[in-house]
Amino acid sequence: AAAAAAPAEIPPAIHYSLFNVIDNTPGSPVFEPREDAEPPTFRFVRFPFHDTEQFRGKPKWPLIQEALATPVGSPADLLAVMRRYSDCRRDLRALDSLCSELDEETVAALFSKTIPFIAQLALALPTAIRCHMPLLDAGREASLSFTQYQAACLLANAFFNTFGDNRADFQSCFTFRSWLCDDCEGSIAKLNCIFHYFRRVQAQMPNGVLTFHRRILTPDLTVTWDTCSKPLRGATVTSEGRIEDDAPGMLHADFANMFIGGGVLGHGCVQEEILFVIKPECLISCLFCERMEPDESIHLVGFERFSNYVGYGSSFTWHSDHRDTTPRDSELRRRTALTAIDAINYRPRSVQSLFDRASQFKPEAVHRELHKAYVGFARSDLLPWVTGVATGNWGCGAFEGDKRLKALIQLLAASAGNNDVLRYFTFGDSDWPPELLSLSHGMAARGLRVCDLYRALLVALAHRARPEMLIRVVAEHLSSIPAPAPAP
């Protein structure tokens, strides 16, 4: 169907905060942890200090408290600590390798200063978060807000592997265990990023707010593509730069996995995973965000960047400190935002792939991606300061989507979502972007509408235009369409 269908029955939205604001003075706000007024009626995160959590028949939190009070002087000592409350069977080989690359003074500071500080943060979790923390379940519009201090305490527990395993429809476990154990360049790069984050917050704890917003296609967000009269917006297209470096004030596309974070807690080092380790507060979404459905996106708002990097994939490496000077909004969040949208996976033999590459040009696949991009890009009351969308080759790397098709889909979605600007980064690809630039500017100059491009795209796909000719065929069809009459 051409319309983005909303669920027949939509549960009421939840907007939940884990804190109260005592003083919202810019630069020096004061927060206090929120406490439950009554027992929760929703599914919630099981914290390691909850009475239900045990290890080998014993309450887990006292074991953690005792273990984390133990001095740690080496990777072997850290492993011994973790084994007192969790089944961590493998040696911490990646941490061993990292220590062998560092000078003696840095290693000594890591074990005498940084890791003890991480332990203090982990043990502070019961006082930092005093209420039940809801899960952001699939199928329900909801938002969840934390202080940056609360996020730091959660990340510290992930470092020490205190959360349980095996959660259906979520990341299997919220832990950095793989980074510590799997001896590869990606693990070492991630350890460098997270240790740098903890050193920064030890020097000065950031004092702001973070919000996660799960969006679904509610009735007020539905769109009928073949009659949508919203004007097409011109795109700026560049083969240079990166979304996270060169698009301030915009909503940044996170080329996500259906399980938010993708492979970030494992071996993955591509776009989403890199964003999450240079902005480590994003990682906590892996703890409470259920797998995304086709009509859902997740907005991550207020996240601070702590690191610069070089490389991508197997060459990804931590590079240097990053000082984020982005101003905060009236809710004490930095004016930074990611929109996590998961594309269809067309990679052959992938566990998550139910399609072959040719099927992405079928109308049902195009509609799925249109709906996904639209629910991610549509303007939100949470982000009044956003000037537009910054995106790129979404789903065209590991998931093997077609770049030209995905570019047209995203142009449609951004325009239908009332965004004035679409900034498209091609990450060094300079062969086909001029076609997109010419097409988008020509459509905007003629006053063409979303429905005009949508119909032209379906005509091109029905005629089985070759992928490399898709934008040209769409442009030819649009050239025969008279410009719509101006509104009275």
Side-chain angles (χ1 to χ4, degrees):
E9 294 185 12
I10 300 175
I14 290 178
H15 302 288
Y16 202 88
S17 175
L18 301 186
F19 59 89
N20 297 316
V21 180
I22 304 303
D23 183 349
N24 64 355
T25 302
S28 57
V30 179
F31 307 103
E32 69 173 10
R34 183 179 172 274
E35 299 191 19
D36 288 322
E38 54 189 30
T41 58
F42 45 76
R43 294 202 301 162
F44 56 86
V45 174
R46 302 286 181 178
F47 287 132
F49 59 81
H50 284 166
D51 293 340
T52 55
E53 301 305 289
Q54 296 192 346
F55 179 68
R56 296 177 182 172
K58 297 181 180 180
K60 192 173 186 179
W61 192 246
L63 299 176
I64 294 170
Q65 289 176 305
E66 183 180 359
L68 267 55
T70 305
V72 171
S74 67
D77 290 346
L78 179 59
L79 178 60
V81 163
M82 294 166 64
R83 283 177 171 170
R84 290 164 68 175
Y85 54 80
S86 68
D87 290 317
C88 188
R89 299 181 179 88
R90 295 183 294 158
D91 292 341
L92 308 187
R93 296 179 181 238
L95 183 58
D96 267 322
S97 293
L98 175 61
C99 291
S100 70
E101 295 178 3
L102 302 174
D103 59 70
E104 290 185 7
E105 183 179 353
T106 303
V107 173
L110 178 64
F111 287 101
S112 65
K113 297 180 181 179
T114 307
I115 290 179
F117 171 70
I118 301 173
Q120 292 174 16
L121 282 177
L123 293 172
L125 185 61
T127 57
I129 300 180
R130 299 178 188 172
C131 59
H132 289 84
M133 188 170 88
L135 299 171
L136 292 189
D137 295 314
R140 184 168 195 160
E141 183 96 10
S143 63
L144 181 57
S145 293
F146 303 77
T147 67
Q148 289 181 274
Y149 173 67
Q150 290 172 326
C153 293
L154 290 169
L155 292 171
N157 276 273
F159 177 83
F160 277 105
N161 192 42
T162 68
F163 285 96
D165 291 351
N166 302 322
R167 305 177 306 149
D169 294 324
F170 292 81
Q171 288 275 8
S172 60
C173 187
F174 182 56
T175 177
F176 304 155
R177 183 174 56 208
S178 177
W179 303 357
L180 295 163
C181 297
D182 296 341
D183 191 5
C184 60
E185 292 302 320
S187 293
I188 292 172
K190 291 174 183 178
L191 285 176
N192 273 320
C193 288
I194 201 64
F195 282 136
H196 178 71
Y197 162 78
F198 282 122
R199 285 192 289 267
R200 281 278 307 276
V201 300
Q202 183 177 21
Q204 183 175 2
M205 181 62 65
N207 196 22
V209 172
L210 317 167
T211 296
F212 300 82
H213 180 201
R214 188 180 201 107
R215 306 186 80 192
I216 64 174
L217 280 175
T218 53
D220 61 319
L221 271 182
T222 55
V223 59
T224 303
W225 297 100
D226 56 3
T227 59
C228 181
S229 60
K230 292 181 180 178
L232 287 163
R233 305 298 186 179
T236 60
V237 185
T238 177
S239 60
E240 299 178 351
R242 298 188 292 214
I243 294 172
E244 61 271 26
D245 294 332
D246 301 300
M250 305 186 81
L251 178 63
H252 292 180
D254 165 16
F255 305 158
N257 189 285
M258 67 176 73
F259 293 95
I260 195 165
V264 67
L265 299 178
H267 295 167
C269 291
V270 289
Q271 195 251 13
E272 180 175 35
E273 291 88 350
I274 290 172
L275 288 176
F276 276 42
V277 293
I278 65 172
K279 303 178 179 185
E281 294 155 337
C282 294
L283 290 163
I284 64 174
S285 61
C286 300
L287 178 61
F288 54 83
C289 287
E290 192 172 13
R291 177 179 60 184
M292 281 186 279
E293 297 295 334
D295 61 350
E296 298 179 336
S297 66
I298 298 174
H299 281 180
L300 301 85
V301 185
F303 297 87
E304 187 166 341
R305 179 172 172 179
F306 290 86
S307 293
N308 296 315
Y309 72 96
V310 294
Y312 192 83
S314 60
S315 65
F316 167 66
T317 307
W318 181 86
H319 182 265
S320 59
D321 179 47
H322 182 92
R323 297 285 166 164
D324 197 329
T325 59
T326 309
R328 298 187 186 273
D329 64 15
S330 60
E331 300 298 321
L332 305 173
R333 295 179 291 245
R334 289 200 182 275
R335 293 185 178 185
T336 59
L338 297 176
T339 178
I341 48 174
D342 57 302
I344 296 174
N345 188 350
Y346 295 103
R347 187 171 69 247
R349 297 179 298 279
S350 166
V351 173
Q352 297 178 12
S353 179
L354 302 176
F355 307 89
D356 57 62
R357 290 200 71 217
S359 67
Q360 66 186 295
F361 299 99
K362 296 179 179 179
E364 57 268 27
V366 171
H367 288 139
R368 189 274 184 193
E369 302 295 67
L370 273 172
H371 300 166
K372 174 65 68 168
Y374 174 68
V375 76
F377 292 170
R379 292 192 68 89
S380 165
D381 293 341
L382 186 66
L383 305 171
W385 47 266
V386 162
T387 60
V389 175
T391 188
N393 299 329
W394 169 53
C396 300
F399 285 7
E400 299 192 9
D402 182 80
K403 295 176 182 178
R404 293 171 175 84
L405 177 60
K406 281 295 201 298
L408 294 174
I409 286 171
Q410 292 183 91
L411 181 57
L412 280 165
S415 297
N418 295 318
N419 291 283
D420 293 333
V421 179
L422 177 71
R423 186 170 298 173
Y424 198 97
F425 293 80
T426 66
F427 311 111
D429 189 345
S430 58
D431 293 337
W432 63 272
E435 301 173 14
L436 177 63
L437 185 65
S438 175
L439 174 69
S440 68
H441 283 193
M443 292 186 299
R446 293 177 58 208
L448 295 182
R449 305 158 299 178
V450 167
C451 59
D452 297 321
L453 176 56
Y454 170 79
R455 293 168 186 165
L457 175 59
L458 289 192
V459 168
L461 296 178
H463 285 81
R464 298 186 179 182
R466 297 198 311 271
E468 65 272 16
M469 296 295 294
L470 182 61
I471 292 179
R472 296 180 191 177
V473 173
V474 167
E476 289 173 3
H477 182 76
L478 286 172
S479 66
S480 64
I481 298 176

